[in-house]
Every structure is written in structure tokens, then in C-alpha cells.
Amino acid sequence: PRGYHPVSAPPGYEVYYLNVMAGPVRAWKFYNDPNHAWLMPKPANLPGV
């Protein structure tokens, strides 16, 4: 429930990632490690971004 769980694939390959929720309270709470935010593309055309 804590920490970061990276998933990656080398260039030219595809990756399939299956994420399963379990437990009595199910809520997606994804966030990126701030130290690696520069790797993510900036969202386009989203209000407030």
C-alpha cells in the first residue's frame, strides 16, 4: 500500500500491466514520484494544468 511500484519495458517492446484492487475499501490513489515527474509528458488541453 506504500511506495512506488515501477513498470517499464525496453524500447521496441510492449508491456501489459494488470493492477488489481483488493480489500474492503477500493480507491485508486495513483501518483508519480516527484523526483521522476520530468519523465512524464505534460497533459495537453486540460483545465487547470
Side-chain angles (χ1 to χ4, degrees), residues 3-38:
Y4 299 98
H5 308 282
V7 176
S8 66
Y13 290 85
E14 295 183 12
V15 65
Y16 178 80
Y17 181 75
L18 175 64
N19 197 350
V20 178
M21 292 192 310
V25 178
R26 296 181 179 110
W28 294 114
K29 297 182 180 179
F30 288 104
Y31 58 96
N32 295 317
D33 182 343
N35 293 324
H36 298 106
W38 63 274

